[in-house]
Amino acid sequence: MEKIEVRLDNKEKRLIPSGISIKEALEYFKKNPKEWVAAKVNGEPKDLSFRLNSPCDIEPIFPDSPLGLEILRHSTAHVMAQAVKSLFPEAKVAIGPPIENGFYYDFDYPPGFKQEDLEKIEKKMKEIILQDLPFQRKELSKKDAEELFRGMGETYKLEILEDIPEEKVSIYQQGDFIDLCRGPHLESTGKVKAFKLTSVAGAYWRGIETNPMLQRIYGTAFFNEADLSLYLSSLEEAKKRDHRRLGRELELFTQFEEIGPGLIVYLPKGGVLRHILEEFEVREHLKRGYQLVMGPQFLKIDLWKKSGHLDYYKENMYFTEIEGETYGIKPMNCLAHILIYKSKIRSYRDLPIRYFELGTVHRHEKSGVLHGMLRVRQFTQDDAHIFCRPDQLISEIKGVLDFVDDVMGIFGFEYEVELSTRPKKSIGSDDIWEHATSALTTALKEKGLRYDICKGEGAFYGPKIDIKLKDALGRKWQCATIQCDFALPERFDLGYIGSDGKRHRPAMLHRVILGTLERFIGVLTEHYAGAFPPWLAPVQVSVLTVTDRGIPYGKSVYERLFDEGFRVEVDFRNQKLGYKIREAQLKKIPFMLVIGDKEIESKTVTPRARSGKNLGTMPLQAFIDLLKEEAKIPTPKGDKAN
RNA sequence: GCUGGCGUAGCUCAGCGGUAGAGCAGCUGAUUUGUAAUCAGCAGGUCGGGGGUUCGAAUCCCCUCGCCAGCUCCA
């Protein structure tokens, strides 16, 4: 029999008979195939049943690897599809990939799946797992595959087949269930150990709104029950960080059904938090050469026509009529800034000009997309528009990227960067889009930032760099964005006088750093799980008396702290100290000051940090010094103003 | 907007055809307490809103509003 050389993990080599499966080949390496989910052959993931016909390198795919989990989840999706087809034969299968924390499978089943159907499906899946059916791979020509799926009435699979360029495709079969699939898979259904179906939701076929809506069942799977329950309990933990819950519990912000969806109300504690952020923002912008401006809330409709918003953004805008004249309520702040720029003749020496505004805008968002503070209909952006000479553009973009990095560093956020290119609905020539996109790309490259490209996701007037932060459940939210725009300067005929005495066109950047205060406060609340650092905490100190005897001295401590400018409150109630501490702790107040007989007598305080640490009895002044240090408003690294 | 789910006291939730319940929070009283819950009493709801079925609806049906998960869209 012919032998081939197989190398394992780039190390051990063995001569094995040609044509045997990976599983069989492992015996030659004295490896236990039970520990392998699948294997990579020359870097390509393959089933353990894959037959080795030529010399190759193989590497294990272990259960604890991301790829191992992916294969498990993909196979679990197939098991689920088999269960669904056996319980609901009229359902058609669409696609069923593994995703970040699990998998889903889409079905065309017009009656829709009910919550209780999930239980039935789970039960059926368990039966299929007990049957331990092998996942069998077959390769066949596209034509044969088309015939097969046409015979089965699986029209979505036929559509998928149309898009596959290769002549040969693979199918997987377990029991009577056949699916078009690239693989690889587990050896058999019995290898699926711990899984749970989590939810049903509608999903448009191929993600296109005009396509039919399919039923998507989400689930997750792990190699053992312990990992599954760990994952499920981490989801429960994440729910405790949900800003909507913390917003209510900590009395930061809320919404009222009577007021309307997507409209935020700041409660006193949230009002303070927002004010601190606003002051921080203004200071940081002034320091970086931005000028504070303010535009009105609504502007005449002709202006929106001129800018292109009426043609490209109308669905997101609100309108109002005043004395027969129609006004558009601003969804963006750029127009007033453009008019401010245009209100004078500008010299090349004046540039760059950076106008900053905490601008409140209104956008009509579809009801289904609203989400706490993270997606609302009225929000305030930390918005600026930078007008600069073309030769300044890249350094301005880099300056904004630095600004973003500084600020995210202060809050301790990790972020992801995306570059979004020209969308279908957009204004301006190909030429200026290319120019704008290359400016953004150059700046990103020069900064050495890693980024993903989102094709066709740009704004209608220009490409953009988006900075994404994650919420407690790992969902990504766009916060900072830098948008490069040559279109609006052209539409508004902006100009400056160059050193040559001639008129030139400035470039324009639209940019936000935190993004919007609403969204940022939302993700920030989840990021800190409500335990804001002292400089942001709505209440920094709570003064707690042990008995009523402490009230007069406690009052004087409170007054002193208040006069020093700290955000302080008292708890003089007739309650045990433990009770008051528990309450302050639940309110996530950074410092508690315990006032008992000892402190009254020696004119001291005993601070307890939110961490639970007793800082020891000290003179009030010592605590004030400590708090001043702890609550100092942070300034970015290397900041001269510090 | 679409698909599925959920709206009962300030909060978390039970009740799911027979005249509204618990815990926490609130109020009152007692207790004067040293680092995450002292005890007792009281009060609190047109069961999201509207319509219908029924002798009788929080409970069943229809409409509507809001919320949650996801899809599409986006700061």
Side-chain angles (χ1 to χ4, degrees):
Chain A
M1 184 183 274
E2 201 193 330
K3 299 243 174 175
I4 52 170
E5 189 180 79
V6 173
R7 204 156 56 146
L8 173 67
D9 271 339
N10 253 330
K11 292 194 292 267
E12 293 172 65
K13 289 179 197 169
R14 294 282 187 281
L15 277 175
I16 62 160
S18 176
I20 66 167
S21 70
I22 296 175
K23 190 177 177 180
E24 289 158 340
L26 285 182
E27 285 176 27
Y28 290 80
F29 291 94
K30 303 240 181 314
K31 297 283 177 196
N32 181 1
K34 281 190 176 157
E35 289 165 6
W36 290 40
V37 175
K40 279 189 188 169
V41 176
N42 295 330
E44 290 282 309
K46 299 286 183 191
D47 301 313
L48 288 182
S49 59
F50 180 76
R51 294 190 181 279
L52 302 169
N53 289 314
S54 53
C56 57
D57 284 315
I58 60 172
E59 279 175 76
I61 297 174
F62 290 125
D64 55 3
S65 68
L67 193 54
L69 259 186
E70 220 173 85
I71 292 167
L72 166 74
R73 288 163 177 176
H74 191 181
S75 296
T76 313
H78 276 229
V79 171
M80 178 172 84
Q82 183 184 357
V84 169
K85 286 291 284 185
S86 95
L87 291 166
F88 308 91
E90 61 279 37
K92 286 188 204 170
V93 291
I95 48 165
I99 50 171
E100 187 162 0
N101 289 311
F103 61 87
Y104 67 79
Y105 212 116
D106 285 348
F107 303 92
D108 186 356
Y109 182 64
F113 296 113
K114 298 263 149 55
Q115 210 68 30
E116 57 257 37
D117 292 335
L118 292 191
E119 284 160 39
K120 282 187 220 152
I121 296 166
E122 280 187 351
K123 212 174 139 201
K124 193 76 192 174
M125 286 172 73
K126 283 179 184 151
E127 287 170 25
I128 294 167
I129 290 166
L130 275 179
Q131 287 165 21
D132 198 19
L133 306 165
F135 286 99
Q136 291 170 306
R137 180 191 176 92
K138 274 188 209 120
E139 288 192 5
L140 66 175
S141 71
K142 225 166 96 173
K143 264 214 174 87
D144 288 346
E146 271 171 19
E147 210 167 297
L148 176 71
F149 288 108
R150 187 169 298 120
M152 290 160 58
E154 295 292 3
T155 50
Y156 294 93
K157 293 294 174 193
L158 290 174
E159 272 193 60
I160 295 168
L161 272 170
E162 275 172 32
D163 287 351
I164 297 177
E166 288 85 28
E167 255 321 293
K168 280 216 151 202
V169 297
S170 58
I171 57 169
Y172 276 80
Q173 176 162 16
Q174 85 266 18
D176 57 359
F177 178 76
I178 299 174
D179 201 352
L180 177 68
C181 181
R182 192 181 293 129
H185 278 282
L186 303 175
E187 278 189 277
S188 62
T189 59
K191 303 272 178 197
V192 175
K193 296 296 179 199
F195 74 93
K196 184 168 172 55
L197 302 186
T198 47
S199 60
V200 225
Y204 301 105
W205 167 235
R206 296 201 151 152
I208 298 167
E209 210 174 352
T210 45
N211 279 350
M213 178 161 272
L214 308 176
Q215 296 287 316
R216 174 171 297 177
I217 302 179
Y218 284 91
T220 191
F222 291 86
F223 283 102
N224 57 64
E225 287 293 337
D227 285 354
L228 175 63
S229 62
L230 198 69
Y231 169 72
L232 294 175
S233 61
S234 79
L235 277 187
E236 290 304 310
E237 279 307 302
K239 275 188 199 155
K240 289 184 190 158
R241 296 173 81 105
D242 189 314
H243 73 280
R244 291 162 297 190
R245 176 186 181 135
L246 288 170
R248 192 176 52 232
E249 286 175 358
L250 301 176
E251 300 181 356
L252 295 168
F253 39 77
T254 190
Q255 296 185 61
F256 292 95
E257 194 178 333
E258 305 90 304
I259 288 179
L263 301 170
I264 300 299
V265 173
Y266 288 83
L267 302 170
K269 301 241 163 74
V272 174
L273 177 60
R274 173 161 167 160
H275 180 70
I276 296 163
L277 283 172
E278 287 182 350
E279 281 190 324
F280 170 77
E281 289 253 45
V282 169
R283 215 194 50 182
E284 290 297 320
H285 278 85
L286 293 179
K287 232 164 62 183
R288 287 173 168 80
Y290 287 81
Q291 303 177 75
L292 207 45
V293 297
M294 284 181 199
Q297 214 51 51
F298 41 91
L299 296 78
K300 281 186 185 169
I301 195 164
D302 287 355
L303 210 53
W304 298 113
K305 203 174 275 173
K306 190 169 180 177
S307 66
H309 283 82
L310 215 55
D311 289 329
Y312 294 89
Y313 207 72
K314 197 179 171 192
E315 304 73 51
N316 288 292
M317 288 182 66
Y318 302 107
F319 296 91
T320 187
E321 212 176 282
I322 300 164
E323 295 187 348
E325 184 105 45
T326 305
Y327 289 76
I329 297 170
K330 68 172 174 180
M332 299 184 192
N333 301 299
C334 40
L335 296 197
H337 296 194
I338 287 173
L339 293 191
I340 296 169
Y341 177 89
K342 231 179 120 105
S343 65
K344 266 171 68 167
I345 291 180
R346 307 292 177 178
S347 150
Y348 71 98
R349 297 175 201 274
D350 299 332
L351 304 182
I353 288 174
R354 309 185 184 100
Y355 292 138
F356 171 67
E357 170 173 8
L358 283 167
T360 301
V361 297
H362 294 77
R363 294 185 188 174
H364 174 73
E365 301 290 349
K366 291 178 180 174
S367 58
V369 306
L370 300 174
H371 186 95
M373 299 280 277
L374 302 183
R375 190 84 182 267
V376 295
R377 288 188 173 145
Q378 177 191 305
F379 51 92
T380 301
Q381 298 179 300
D382 58 338
D383 203 3
H385 294 89
I386 300 175
F387 301 89
C388 65
R389 305 191 305 260
D391 63 289
Q392 295 169 322
L393 186 58
I394 289 173
S395 87
E396 284 303 309
I397 296 168
K398 282 158 71 179
V400 176
L401 286 171
D402 285 339
F403 194 171
V404 170
D405 194 61
D406 281 349
V407 170
M408 293 308 150
I410 284 174
F411 295 103
F413 274 117
E414 306 263 323
Y415 57 86
E416 288 176 20
V417 183
E418 288 175 1
L419 177 74
S420 296
T421 59
R422 180 165 199 171
K424 274 182 249 110
K425 273 186 89 182
S426 52
I427 58 173
S429 66
D430 290 348
D431 218 37
I432 63 176
W433 273 87
E434 199 170 307
H435 188 170
T437 309
S438 92
L440 293 176
T441 313
T442 306
L444 283 171
K445 287 200 172 132
E446 288 183 14
K447 285 270 115 196
L449 285 165
R450 219 201 63 74
Y451 61 93
D452 294 322
I453 292 176
C454 298
K455 262 187 136 177
E457 302 281 307
F460 76 82
Y461 45 77
K464 57 181 188 160
I465 293 171
D466 288 331
I467 307 292
K468 305 225 165 175
L469 304 182
K470 286 184 183 171
D471 70 12
L473 284 170
R475 292 176 293 212
K476 286 182 223 167
W477 297 91
Q478 181 185 323
C479 289
T481 178
I482 309 169
Q483 310 176 343
C484 188
D485 180 6
F486 291 108
L488 291 179
E490 203 167 293
R491 287 206 165 203
F492 283 88
D493 192 27
L494 301 186
Y496 66 90
I497 309 300
S499 58
D500 56 1
K502 291 186 183 136
R503 195 164 182 277
H504 299 270
R505 184 84 71 210
M508 183 177 171
L509 291 175
H510 308 240
R511 46 104 292 178
V512 292
I513 304 295
L514 302 185
T516 73
L517 287 163
E518 284 73 14
R519 179 172 289 180
F520 192 75
I521 288 172
V523 291
L524 195 64
T525 303
E526 303 198 353
H527 176 64
Y528 289 128
F532 296 101
W535 76 283
L536 287 170
V539 177
Q540 298 168 310
V541 196
S542 184
V543 180
L544 316 181
T545 45
V546 178
T547 70
D548 288 352
R549 291 190 296 282
I551 292 176
Y553 177 61
K555 265 187 187 153
S556 74
V557 168
Y558 165 82
E559 272 159 23
R560 180 75 205 285
L561 290 168
F562 184 84
D563 289 345
E564 289 282 348
F566 294 117
R567 298 184 292 276
V568 53
E569 64 178 32
V570 297
D571 189 347
F572 292 164
R573 288 174 304 172
N574 177 9
Q575 284 289 357
K576 284 165 69 175
L577 181 63
Y579 180 89
K580 298 185 188 184
I581 283 180
R582 178 184 149 81
E583 250 180 35
Q585 198 73 44
L586 291 174
K587 284 155 112 181
K588 302 181 196 280
I589 297 171
F591 293 100
M592 297 155 223
L593 288 186
V594 174
I595 305 289
D597 291 339
K598 196 167 69 184
E599 289 78 11
I600 300 167
E601 197 168 322
S602 57
K603 298 286 171 207
T604 54
V605 293
T606 304
R608 179 195 207 265
R610 183 168 52 192
S611 64
K613 195 173 176 213
N614 186 335
L615 303 182
T617 302
M618 59 177 78
L620 179 55
Q621 186 58 48
F623 175 70
I624 288 172
D625 294 342
L626 182 147
L627 188 55
K628 270 189 183 154
E629 190 54 35
E630 292 285 327
K632 202 151 75 182
I633 296 171
T635 45
K637 285 174 289 191
D639 192 332
K640 289 189 200 80
N642 190 2

